[in-house]
Amino acid sequence: MWQHNQSIELSDNVLLDQKLDYLHMNPVVSGFVSEPEHWNWSSALDNSGSKGLLDVNMIE
């Protein structure tokens, strides 16, 4: 079943961090890795101080 998504404005850092945490935890919850930083295609690597496979540009 297809779910319709609605856009939301990430108006502050708290909301942005909440959504990033959700995205980073998806491979963990699915059982692919034990830690978000172990997923090679995740920006969780960059957030932990390492360098992931993708370029991440944080907007300040």
Side-chain angles (χ1 to χ4, degrees), residues 1 4-5 7 11-12 15 19 22-24 26 29 34 36-37 42 45-46 49 56 58:
M1 178 177 184
H4 296 281
N5 296 319
S7 297
S11 55
D12 58 43
L15 192 55
K19 300 308 175 192
Y22 172 81
L23 290 172
H24 291 158
N26 277 337
V29 172
S34 60
E37 296 82 11
S42 174
L45 287 165
D46 295 270
V56 175
M58 294 300 288

Side-chain angles (χ1 to χ4, degrees), residues 38-45 53-54:
H38 296 167
W39 188 250
N40 289 330
W41 298 99
S42 174
S43 62
L45 287 165
L53 296 176
L54 303 175

Side-chain angles (χ1 to χ4, degrees), residues 16-34:
L16 177 62
D17 289 341
Q18 178 189 26
K19 300 308 175 192
L20 280 174
D21 288 342
Y22 172 81
L23 290 172
H24 291 158
M25 288 304 294
N26 277 337
V28 176
V29 172
S30 296
F32 295 121
V33 293
S34 60

